[in-house]
Amino acid sequence: MTGTRKITWDGCPTRYAAGIFGDRWCFLILRDALLHAKRTYSEFLASPEGISTNILADRLSRLEAVGMLERIIDPRKASRVCYFPTRMARDLLPALIAMMVWSTKYDKHTEAPTSFAKAYQSDPLGTIAWYEAEIDRVDAAIRGGDINT
Amino acid sequence: MTGTRKITWDGCPTRYAAGIFGDRWCFLILRDALLHAKRTYSEFLASPEGISTNILADRLSRLEAVGMLERIIDPRKASRVCYFPTRMARDLLPALIAMMVWSTKYDKHTEAPTSFAKAYQSDPLGTIAWYEAEIDRVDAAIRGGDINT
DNA sequence: TATTGCACTTGCAATATGCAAGTAGATCAT
DNA sequence: ATGATCTACTTGCATATTGCAAGTGCAATA
């Protein structure tokens, strides 16, 4: 990991967060898992940022190791592997959304509609609940065996 | 920057955020500026994480370039340079604090008191306002010429 | 049984980092 | 006035990480 050295990344809350997703690729994988319903290796690989396959493998195993993703081999199709965001990852939603609100304010080329920030400001808990429900829906569909989801 | 390649980091809100502080060191510098009242090169350098001096120089200029820090040579002591967090950086406080709340929940060795998360949950705006007031205080003291602050 | 799909691994050149040492201008002490 | 010190960096180089392309192995499909 870039700049890991011998730092103990726990202790300080900011440092702990930086240690886990203070990395562009982890960040984007979490976005894909939490916001874009991506679950498989090839889905993550297909993101427009173009992550390298070896880096993706590394980050997925790292995120699994810290407990952010749960790696599960699909029992009905053993060649398919799914990475589900855990509660730990889901609990990052408020921070992630707060960052997105910040980005929409400062990124001159933002693709996010202004309605996004407004919706969050007026009903933060509801917005988070909406994303959680989406995650539940996707996961239930896959775990329930509906492979086409 | 690690993994920069030719990616356009703007557009997507998550990617934009990742592009700017999806880097451990930028993250920690922002923490120091926003939460720990650090303003000078040597103060940032002295943080317990032990950032290398060349990396610090690189990240400070990068954060200045994107508009997160304002570099100012102290008019009363030209050998002193201060980096002030801009409004853009201050606006990151909600996201930063949300991340800290997350960290205190999942880091088994967290040094943050449980009261922190509780205070934020019960009064998020007040908590943010408190940090902003601290920043104002420090900056006013330095800009006002009180070099001992 | 061959081909394809999916999840990775491997090898290597390019890039970024960590560390130690050095530089340059401002300030301080005598 | 001048040498020591302070502060903010820069430089050089060994090491670590990344990006890219190609390859591997198992499962499912034709």
Side-chain angles (χ1 to χ4, degrees), chain A residues 108-133:
Chain A
K108 287 167 187 160
H109 305 290
T110 190
E111 291 155 6
T114 53
S115 58
F116 167 74
K118 285 179 185 169
Y120 179 68
Q121 305 288 17
S122 74
D123 183 16
L125 265 48
T127 304
I128 291 165
W130 185 85
Y131 280 111
E132 288 241 24

Side-chain angles (χ1 to χ4, degrees), chain A residues 1-5 7 9-25 27-28 31 35-36 48-51 59 62 68 87-92 94-96 98-112 116, chain B residues 1-5 7 9-25 27-28 31 35-36 48-51 59 62 68 87-92 94-96 98-112 116:
Chain A
M1 189 175 292
T2 303
T4 293
R5 259 192 334 139
I7 294 178
W9 289 92
D10 53 10
C12 162
T14 313
R15 184 175 56 219
Y16 182 76
I20 289 185
F21 61 98
D23 169 278
R24 301 177 185 318
W25 296 123
F27 217 88
L28 295 172
R31 171 202 62 181
L35 270 29
H36 297 338
E49 289 81 15
I51 186 170
R59 296 300 191 274
R62 201 179 290 177
M68 300 283 276
R87 169 48 47 198
M88 187 186 188
R90 287 160 170 250
D91 281 343
L92 215 47
L96 194 58
M99 275 183 260
M100 291 165 68
V101 170
W102 176 84
S103 293
T104 61
K105 178 170 179 182
Y106 289 103
D107 180 5
K108 287 167 187 160
H109 305 290
T110 190
E111 291 155 6
F116 167 74
Chain B
M1 189 173 290
T2 303
T4 293
R5 257 194 334 140
I7 294 177
W9 288 92
D10 52 10
C12 162
T14 313
R15 184 174 56 220
Y16 181 75
I20 289 186
F21 61 98
D23 168 279
R24 301 177 182 332
W25 296 123
F27 217 89
L28 295 173
R31 171 202 62 182
L35 270 31
H36 297 163
E49 289 81 15
I51 187 171
R59 296 301 191 275
R62 200 179 290 176
M68 299 283 276
R87 169 49 47 198
M88 187 186 189
R90 286 161 171 249
D91 281 343
L92 215 47
L96 193 59
M99 274 183 262
M100 290 165 70
V101 169
W102 176 83
S103 293
T104 60
K105 178 170 179 183
Y106 289 102
D107 179 5
K108 286 167 188 160
H109 305 290
T110 190
E111 292 156 6
F116 166 74

